[in-house]
Amino acid sequence: MNGLFDLPDRCLRCGFCLNSCPVYKDLREEIISPRGKLRQIKALSNNEVVSDKLILKVMNNCLMCGACLKNCPSSLETPAAIQKLREQLFEKYGHDLLKRGMKFIMNNNRARKLSAFWARVVYNNFIDSLPFSVPAGALSLKDIPKLARPLYPVKLKNNGSKKVFYFAGCVDKYIYGDTARSAVRVLNKLGYDVMVSKDERCCGIPMLISGDTKAIIKNAKHNVDLMRRQYFDYIVFTCPTCAVAFKEKYYGIFSEDEVYTKKLEALESKFIEITQLLAKEKGLRSLLNELPLKVTYHDPCHMVNSLNAVKEPRIVISMIPGLQYIEMNPEKTANCCGSGGFYHIYFPDISSGIGKGKIEMIRETRAETVLTSCPACKMQINGLLRKAGSSVRVMHIVELLNQRMK
């Protein structure tokens, strides 16, 4: 941690992080800016009198989107410093009741499956009859669409085609099953032999960024071993945050475990977000029917700031005949929707404020459909649009591809 505590001394105070931080741009308060957080970390390292409650609130008030690092001329690892301090604060204070419950569900496949089942049954059957609004973070329950049936396991056909291990992730597997089924069908149509494992576990990112690193070690090891049981050409993700867990975060978790670090390194070249794979498929265009539709695209933070996947989603969108594409984001930088995992639950007003800016950008395009490549962004944007009375649809790119497949 000592090296991370030295980051404030290397800060140029240029303000690039301020212009890129969604939270700062909404609140305009220096203390919650990336460089403000670095100052708090420095004060703590110098044993200055700093309230633990203040530090906890300031460090939690971060989307962990990575924009500060992406735009820092000194490449300061501010998100890593915030993460380390969150880990220290977790050791001291632990989780609240909500996160303890989520930790149990995420670390237990049976609980995850059962909770998703009952959430789907209760929500889908009773939400329309609720006479009042129930808050759900930055949204209300009525702003969230009804839950699709989950994605069931898929076995390899072993037909000689390139083999894909599809890691669906919690949201696309249990909430947005239509996205996951679309991914499987599109990959099958392109000739890939796809496997979906019943033993896949949560990647653990929500707990990791909450400071509870130890809680996800078991899941991380299980997932890595699961992917190594047989040969796969690609390990594909429809959730960029899950992809970041495997491509970046797991190295920190395995930093003192040489065996699993080597296992992860052996898999690294196979990890790929689905649009990064589809953009290479020259034959995709010929499989798609024409669609006269006006669309725009939302860049998820992890796609841009961590995976550097900016051009690939746009290449895939351009392959759909007849689409009229309107660029919402000419700079092609991540422009956060305000979701951020648990963030929209603990900071609903700020999350809504950030999200309203995104809704205005969408309205200015006059698009009929917003495409994205992140399930959390899809939920947030869809909810905020419905809250604003808009009928604009929000879809994962693979859903639209699946609908237009011949």
Side-chain angles (χ1 to χ4, degrees):
M1 187 69 186
N2 289 336
L4 293 174
F5 276 152
D6 292 336
L7 290 184
D9 297 330
R10 293 165 46 206
C11 177
L12 300 175
R13 296 184 56 78
C14 63
F16 275 54
C17 63
L18 273 62
N19 293 328
S20 63
C21 175
V23 179
Y24 175 79
K25 286 194 290 185
D26 184 66
L27 294 182
R28 297 292 173 181
E29 295 178 7
E30 176 72 19
I31 192 171
I32 53 83
S33 70
R35 72 182 182 191
K37 288 182 173 71
L38 287 179
R39 277 202 214 96
Q40 296 296 313
I41 291 172
K42 187 65 176 179
L44 199 62
S45 69
N46 290 338
N47 295 316
E48 295 177 13
V49 180
V50 181
S51 164
D52 272 10
K53 287 185 177 180
L54 175 63
I55 285 286
L56 189 62
K57 186 173 182 179
V58 168
M59 294 305 152
N60 283 339
N61 196 355
C62 173
L63 287 153
M64 298 298 279
C65 65
C68 53
L69 172 59
K70 180 81 172 180
N71 292 279
C72 178
S74 300
S75 299
L76 298 185
E77 292 275 357
T78 304
I82 294 169
Q83 174 67 32
K84 283 295 181 184
L85 191 50
R86 283 183 177 184
E87 290 170 14
Q88 290 185 3
L89 291 167
F90 167 74
E91 290 293 330
K92 190 171 183 179
Y93 296 106
H95 286 317
D96 59 20
L97 185 61
L98 172 63
K99 287 185 179 178
R100 287 201 296 271
M102 291 302 295
K103 176 180 176 179
F104 173 75
I105 292 170
M106 291 176 180
N107 286 354
N108 185 309
N109 263 12
R110 181 173 293 181
R112 193 166 61 136
K113 186 176 180 179
L114 283 174
S115 62
F117 171 77
W118 284 112
R120 189 167 62 255
V121 170
V122 173
Y123 182 80
N124 289 1
N125 286 289
F126 296 102
I127 189 60
D128 291 336
S129 60
L130 272 181
F132 50 85
S133 178
V134 179
L139 310 174
S140 70
L141 280 182
K142 288 191 173 183
D143 296 324
I144 299 172
K146 291 185 178 180
L147 311 183
R149 60 187 174 87
L151 173 69
Y152 297 111
V154 177
K155 292 183 179 180
L156 288 172
K157 297 180 178 67
N158 292 312
N159 55 8
S161 303
K162 286 187 177 181
K163 292 181 171 63
V164 165
F165 183 105
Y166 172 39
F167 188 91
C170 299
V171 181
D172 281 339
K173 189 168 189 176
Y174 292 107
I175 297 177
Y176 287 139
D178 291 341
T179 299
R181 279 183 289 277
S182 295
V184 173
R185 182 169 181 261
V186 169
L187 290 169
N188 283 159
K189 284 281 189 178
L190 286 166
Y192 292 100
D193 191 4
V194 181
M195 173 183 169
V196 177
S197 174
K198 65 180 177 61
D199 297 320
E200 169 195 313
R201 292 185 183 175
C202 175
C203 71
I205 277 280
M207 290 298 107
L208 175 66
I209 63 174
S210 296
D212 192 359
T213 306
K214 293 177 183 177
I216 74 165
I217 292 176
K218 187 176 179 180
N219 277 16
K221 288 183 175 180
H222 173 88
N223 285 331
V224 168
D225 286 336
L226 185 64
M227 293 167 176
R228 284 173 51 85
R229 286 181 187 172
Q230 63 188 95
Y231 176 83
F232 293 100
D233 293 279
Y234 298 104
I235 297 167
V236 174
F237 304 87
T238 45
C239 173
T241 302
C242 290
V244 170
F246 285 86
K247 291 175 72 69
E248 293 181 6
K249 306 300 182 184
Y250 280 9
Y251 282 104
I253 295 168
F254 299 147
S255 60
E256 297 179 5
D257 190 326
E258 187 177 346
V259 172
Y260 273 89
T261 296
K262 288 182 178 179
K263 287 183 178 181
L264 190 61
E265 286 173 344
L267 293 172
E268 186 176 355
S269 63
K270 302 175 188 291
F271 297 140
I272 191 165
E273 187 274 330
I274 194 163
T275 64
Q276 291 179 308
L277 178 61
L278 297 180
K280 302 175 184 178
E281 290 290 338
K282 305 298 184 185
L284 177 59
R285 185 187 299 272
S286 64
L287 298 175
L288 300 171
N289 289 308
E290 187 172 341
L291 177 65
L293 184 70
K294 190 183 292 186
V295 303
T296 189
Y297 174 71
H298 162 71
D299 287 281
C301 294
H302 282 143
M303 285 286 284
V304 176
N305 298 330
S306 297
L307 301 179
N308 295 312
V310 176
K311 63 181 181 180
E312 292 90 346
R314 290 169 171 82
I315 290 172
V316 175
I317 293 169
S318 71
M319 291 183 186
I320 304 175
L323 280 191
Q324 181 185 352
Y325 178 71
I326 302 99
E327 182 60 69
M328 179 190 349
N329 181 17
E331 295 82 13
K332 296 182 177 61
T333 56
N335 199 301
C336 189
C337 67
S339 178
F342 286 124
Y343 187 87
H344 74 104
I345 297 173
Y346 287 94
F347 299 94
D349 292 339
I350 305 171
S351 176
S352 294
I354 295 169
K356 283 177 183 175
K358 173 60 63 175
I359 299 308
E360 286 305 312
M361 292 175 70
I362 292 169
R363 280 177 164 165
E364 287 174 9
T365 68
R366 299 186 181 275
E368 300 164 272
T369 298
V370 179
L371 299 176
T372 189
S373 42
C374 171
C377 294
K378 175 184 169 181
M379 182 178 292
Q380 174 85 341
I381 294 170
N382 182 78
L384 291 173
L385 282 168
R386 290 181 66 172
K387 200 172 183 179
S390 173
S391 60
V392 174
R393 297 175 67 197
V394 187
M395 303 176 72
H396 194 292
I397 290 175
V398 294
E399 291 180 271
L400 190 59
L401 291 176
N402 181 43
Q403 288 184 10
R404 305 315 299 166
M405 277 284 173
K406 294 177 181 178

